[in-house]
Every structure is written in C-alpha cells, then in structure tokens.
C-alpha cells in the first residue's frame, strides 16, 4: 500500500536531529509522496532545500496568517522567486487565523488575497490554512476565483465550511483531529465529502493522530487517518490510500 502525505513540515526544527532518518523510514514504510509545506519565507526556502534531497518530496511556498507580522519589502516577489523551483507544487499555506490573531484581520485578508493572485499568475493551486474564520475565508474565495483551486489543509470539522469548499471545487484534507476522541462530528463531516475530493495529511510534527497522540508526528502516521476514513466510509484502507493518492496527484499536478 502506498500513501501520499499531502502536508507535513520537515522544515520544522523538531526534525533537526533526525530528519533524514525519519524521511527515509517514512518512504520505506510506504509513504511514497510527501508535500513539505512552507508557512513563511524562511520555512518555504527550507521546504524546497529539503525537498531537493528526495525524489519523492515536493514543496509549497507561502506565508501563513500567523507569520505575516515580520513581512517586509516585496514579499510577493520573494514568493514568486521561490515558486520557480520545479519542486514547488502550490502556494501555501496561506489563509486566515482568527484563533491566534484577532487584531490584524484586514492585514490577514489582504495578504491572503495577494497570494491567491500570485497562485493564479503562476497557474498553481493554493493550500489553505483557516481557523475560526469560516465566513471571511469563503467570502474571499467567492470574490477571487482560484483558477487551479486547491486544498483546505487540516480542514476544520465545520459543516458550512466543508459544504462551501466543495461547491467551490476545493479538496478537503483530513489530519489527526478526525481521529481524536473529542471530535464528535468527524464521521458526519467525512461523510459529507465524496471520496474523489479527500486528501490525507499528517501536518507533522504537530497533531499526531490516535493512537499516538501527544508524540512528535511524522508521515508514517498518515495510515491512521486513512484507516479512520475507511472505517467511516465502509471501504478498505487500501481503497482510501489509492483514491487519496490519485486525488493528490491530480490537484498537485506537476508544472514540468
Ligand atoms: Ni501546516
């Protein structure tokens, strides 16, 4: 069985001691494609540098709503420059986060929109981070069409958000929280999403799924997300692995 981890952060310092070992172990255990996600200029650069070392790893570049405060100069040009790397498959993670930052909503929206325009210019999909900002996120996506669509990464288990995201043509990526015992509506939300629109991810090193919750996460744990979806959909884990792999290849189509 081959699995596609559509969102991980091997650029995080939590992997500084054993990054190469973990990445190789993940690959050898069947995680045969990994997207290494940037969230700031620095981490995007690092995401590409790491992806360059593995033929099965790709990268996204972008600035997340929690990393906009120290942006200066023409950051859009900087992201565009990074996106020239053939390893870059999307602009992300970008979006809105009113959980961590309530004071700069207008600035968050502006930077989200600028990066969507860049994705359109470069013909790339986007990877969205959204937290406690459902309405504003949907409003922006209705206002500016994302030509290549994209993915709601670690999608919040919110019915309205998922319905609107699907209507707009986006993919829904599920992460560790769907396995958490306190995620009461995980089954309801997973059942809302047709299997052709589901991606799976770890968001490593964060959000480890059950039964390894609380430990440092890595791509090998994506199997627990696949299993959870399989149980809810009444399918085998192999079927989920195969379909989510196909979906991820479709959305992150290579530009070369
Ligand atoms: Ni992330």
């Amino acid at each position: 069985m081959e699995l596609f981890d559509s969102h991980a952060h091997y650029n995080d310092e939590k992997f500084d001691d054993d990054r190469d070992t973990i990445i190789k172990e993940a690959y050898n255990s069947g995680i045969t494609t990994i997207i290494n996600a940037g969230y700031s200029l620095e981490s995007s650069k690092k995401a590409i540098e790491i992806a360059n070392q593995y033929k099965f790893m790709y990268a996204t570049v972008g600035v997340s709503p929690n990393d906009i405060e120290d942006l200066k100069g023409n950051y859009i040009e900087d992201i565009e420059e990074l996106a020239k790397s053939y390893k870059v498959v999307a602009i992300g993670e970008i979006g809105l986060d009113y959980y961590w930052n309530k004071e700069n909503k207008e600035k968050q929206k502006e930077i989200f929109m600028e990066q969507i325009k860049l994705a359109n210019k470069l013909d790339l999909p986007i990877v969205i981070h959204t937290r406690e900002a459902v309405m504003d996120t949907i409003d922006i996506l209705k206002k500016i069409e994302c030509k290549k669509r994209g993915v709601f990464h670690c999608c919040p288990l919110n019915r309205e958000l998922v319905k609107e995201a699907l209507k707009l043509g986006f993919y829904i990526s599920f992460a560790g929280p769907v396995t958490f015992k306190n995620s009461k509506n995980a089954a309801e939300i997973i059942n809302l999403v047709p299997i052709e629109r589901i991606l799976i991810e770890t968001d490593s090193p964060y959000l480890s799924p059950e039964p390894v919750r609380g430990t440092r996460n890595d791509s090998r744990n994506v199997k627990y997300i696949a299993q959870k979806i399989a149980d809810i959909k009444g399918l085998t884990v192999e079927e989920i692995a195969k379909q989510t792999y196909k979906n991820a290849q479709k959305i992150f189509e290579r530009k070369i």
Side-chain angles (χ1 to χ4, degrees), residues 6-49:
S6 72
H7 192 107
H9 299 286
Y10 287 102
N11 43 6
D12 192 286
E13 61 185 13
K14 289 192 175 65
F15 290 112
D16 280 355
D17 290 337
D18 57 357
R19 179 174 289 113
D20 183 59
T21 311
I22 298 290
I23 292 171
K24 283 179 180 152
E25 277 177 23
Y27 181 78
N28 291 332
S29 76
I31 320 304
T32 52
T33 308
I34 298 171
I35 308 281
N36 200 17
Y39 47 86
S40 62
L41 289 173
E42 203 43 47
S43 67
S44 297
K45 208 172 144 214
K46 206 168 161 191
I48 298 169
E49 282 165 10

Side-chain angles (χ1 to χ4, degrees), residues 23-254:
I23 292 171
K24 283 179 180 152
E25 277 177 23
Y27 181 78
N28 291 332
S29 76
I31 320 304
T32 52
T33 308
I34 298 171
I35 308 281
N36 200 17
Y39 47 86
S40 62
L41 289 173
E42 203 43 47
S43 67
S44 297
K45 208 172 144 214
K46 206 168 161 191
I48 298 169
E49 282 165 10
I50 297 164
N52 279 337
Q53 298 168 39
Y54 306 94
K55 64 178 189 320
F56 54 90
M57 187 181 280
Y58 299 92
T60 72
V61 294
V63 179
S64 96
N66 299 321
D67 294 271
I68 59 179
E69 282 312 323
D70 16 281
L71 275 184
K72 42 187 166 314
N74 202 335
Y75 67 94
I76 290 292
E77 272 178 20
D78 295 339
I79 300 170
E80 186 169 359
E81 193 56 35
L82 290 171
K84 284 181 185 162
S85 159
Y86 84 101
K87 283 286 187 173
V88 172
V89 292
I91 297 297
E93 51 186 282
I94 60 175
L96 303 174
D97 192 324
Y98 300 165
Y99 176 81
W100 289 112
N101 291 294
K102 291 180 193 60
E103 312 307 322
N104 59 359
K105 291 184 181 178
E106 290 312 309
K107 192 172 175 189
Q108 287 191 40
K109 287 188 215 170
E110 183 199 314
I111 290 172
F112 183 28
M113 289 190 285
E114 289 304 316
Q115 293 182 94
I116 293 173
K117 287 180 200 155
L118 176 65
N120 283 342
K121 180 181 170 191
L122 301 175
D123 228 14
L124 287 171
I126 61 171
V127 174
I128 301 172
H129 167 109
T130 180
R131 194 162 178 197
E132 296 196 3
V134 171
M135 291 321 293
D136 284 356
T137 303
I138 294 299
D139 277 352
I140 286 175
L141 298 178
K142 282 181 174 165
K143 207 151 70 179
I144 313 178
E145 198 205 356
C146 301
K147 278 197 295 179
K148 288 287 181 175
R149 304 294 189 268
V151 181
F152 275 77
H153 123 74
C154 189
C155 191
L157 302 178
N158 176 296
R159 193 187 306 124
E160 291 316 308
L161 177 70
V162 169
K163 280 186 180 166
E164 291 295 334
L166 289 171
K167 264 193 246 166
L168 288 162
F170 279 79
Y171 286 74
I172 306 295
S173 184
F174 291 115
V178 296
T179 68
F180 295 172
K181 293 187 176 79
N182 57 355
S183 291
K184 301 259 179 272
N185 63 345
E188 182 205 340
I189 299 295
I190 288 171
N191 277 326
L192 276 180
V193 188
I195 183 177
E196 294 77 19
R197 299 282 283 282
I198 296 178
L199 262 53
I200 51 176
E201 65 168 85
T202 56
D203 207 13
S204 297
Y206 309 102
L207 291 172
S208 286
E210 293 289 356
V212 290
R213 196 174 175 184
T215 63
R216 183 186 66 173
N217 202 3
D218 69 61
S219 295
R220 290 172 295 187
N221 296 329
V222 78
K223 63 176 183 278
Y224 297 118
I225 323 289
Q227 186 62 58
K228 176 76 183 187
I229 297 168
D231 292 346
I232 288 167
K233 295 274 193 197
L235 295 165
T236 65
V237 70
E238 286 81 9
E239 286 169 309
I240 296 297
K242 207 169 168 188
Q243 184 66 47
T244 53
Y245 211 107
K246 220 198 266 181
N247 299 342
Q249 284 176 320
K250 197 168 169 192
I251 186 70
F252 297 121
E253 74 177 325
R254 301 288 309 287

